[in-house]
Amino acid sequence: MTISLEMQREELKAELRNTCDPAERRQIAAELEMVQAEIAAIEAEQDGRISVEPPF
């Protein structure tokens, strides 16, 4: 799952570099931010920094 997210991140970065339309740039930047947050959460879970188990 992480590999496809990393590929998506790289594709969004490339799109962001190549677009001139401000509205499209904002949309791509928002999508990129969501993908990066998801990758960070997965990495934190794998590193043991966060737990997916409920606290109770």
Side-chain angles (χ1 to χ4, degrees):
M1 181 164 140
T2 307
I3 293 173
S4 64
L5 286 173
E6 290 173 355
M7 289 173 51
Q8 185 177 4
R9 176 179 57 190
E10 295 307 313
E11 289 173 3
L12 288 168
K13 284 181 179 181
E15 285 183 41
L16 195 58
R17 283 191 300 269
N18 295 323
T19 189
C20 297
D21 181 45
E24 189 175 359
R25 286 185 66 80
R26 285 190 299 273
Q27 180 182 357
I28 294 169
E31 290 177 29
L32 179 58
E33 188 175 329
M34 289 186 344
V35 168
Q36 289 175 326
E38 191 169 347
I39 290 171
I42 290 170
E43 289 174 348
E45 180 184 334
Q46 290 174 346
D47 293 346
R49 291 178 279 155
I50 62 171
S51 175
V52 295
E53 296 189 23
F56 47 88

